Amino acid sequence: MEKKNINIEIGKTSEIGELGKTEQSLVERAQQAAQRAYAPYSNFKVGACLLLSNGETVEGNNQENASYPCGCCAERTALHYASSRFPEAKVLTLVISAYNQDGLLQEPITPCGMCRQAILEAEMRGGQPIKIILNGEKHSFIINSAADLLPLSFDNSKL
Ligand code: THU
């Protein structure tokens, strides 16, 4: 049987200064958004900040519910708000940050599978790669495209 490998390039910063000024400000905005999350059940607060092609930035955070499955992750809160407010704009960059009870996560936050699917849809809709910055206190990961986060994905080309 033939074997195939899937390689994904991940950038790793050792300090926030390695990011550009705009990206640093998106990181700050994602961190601030995380602190406003409604997460009384998990106490895990996630923030997302999007840079759109029209120059706008949109933030989101996780919104939980006593009926747990009703909750929504930060990434999808931000993506859905961006799509409802600026339907024509492409998503250029997405930054994600998260806090647990000890504070900002040391290691980069990695998005859940459902959010990866939602980010991929936004990427395909925009027709260009979304730069994804997974922020952590010690370092951040930079991913070049949502497709890299979801190999062998299901998308609308299969429908
Ligand atoms: N959460 C996010 O907002 N984004 C992720 O990528 C992972 C998980 C939220 C969902 C829930 O409110 C809490 O974190 C714990 O899972």
Side-chain angles (χ1 to χ4, degrees), residues 11-97:
K12 181 179 172 185
T13 63
S14 46
E15 56 170 67
I16 198 81
E18 288 177 54
L19 297 174
K21 284 267 174 289
T22 303
E23 291 170 349
Q24 287 181 47
S25 103
L26 297 175
V27 168
E28 274 173 33
R29 301 262 310 268
Q31 291 178 355
Q32 288 162 3
Q35 292 172 59
R36 300 192 302 270
Y38 177 64
Y41 305 105
S42 69
N43 288 311
F44 188 72
K45 297 184 163 196
V46 187
C49 186
L50 304 174
L51 175 64
L52 305 180
S53 56
N54 60 3
E56 297 280 350
T57 52
V58 166
E59 295 159 20
N61 48 32
N62 51 330
Q63 299 293 320
E64 298 187 345
N65 192 284
S67 174
Y68 294 177
C70 291
C72 189
C73 291
E75 298 89 322
R76 280 175 293 128
T77 302
L79 287 167
H80 294 161
Y81 177 66
S83 175
S84 64
R85 180 78 178 78
F86 305 110
E88 306 303 330
K90 301 167 195 257
V91 179
L92 303 182
T93 309
L94 162 63
V95 178
I96 315 168
S97 297

Side-chain angles (χ1 to χ4, degrees), residues 2-3 14 18-19 25 36 50-51 59 66 68 72 74 99 102 127 130-131 142 147 149 154 156 159:
E2 187 190 346
K3 301 270 165 102
S14 46
E18 288 177 54
L19 297 174
S25 103
R36 300 192 302 270
L50 304 174
L51 175 64
E59 295 159 20
Y68 294 177
C72 189
Y99 291 76
D102 299 328
I130 299 177
K131 183 172 190 176
I142 294 130
L149 279 182
F154 177 78
N156 60 20
L159 292 174

Side-chain angles (χ1 to χ4, degrees), residues 74-144:
E75 298 89 322
R76 280 175 293 128
T77 302
L79 287 167
H80 294 161
Y81 177 66
S83 175
S84 64
R85 180 78 178 78
F86 305 110
E88 306 303 330
K90 301 167 195 257
V91 179
L92 303 182
T93 309
L94 162 63
V95 178
I96 315 168
S97 297
Y99 291 76
N100 63 19
Q101 283 165 345
D102 299 328
L104 184 64
L105 293 198
Q106 294 295 305
E107 296 297 325
I109 166 78
T110 46
C112 78
M114 194 183 280
C115 286
R116 290 177 198 221
Q117 184 74 30
I119 303 165
L120 182 73
E121 182 87 16
E123 177 165 286
M124 296 196 70
R125 193 171 161 191
Q128 67 182 78
I130 299 177
K131 183 172 190 176
I132 301 168
I133 300 175
L134 308 177
N135 176 234
E137 174 73 53
K138 282 204 297 201
H139 48 256
S140 295
F141 289 154
I142 294 130
I143 319 278
N144 297 321

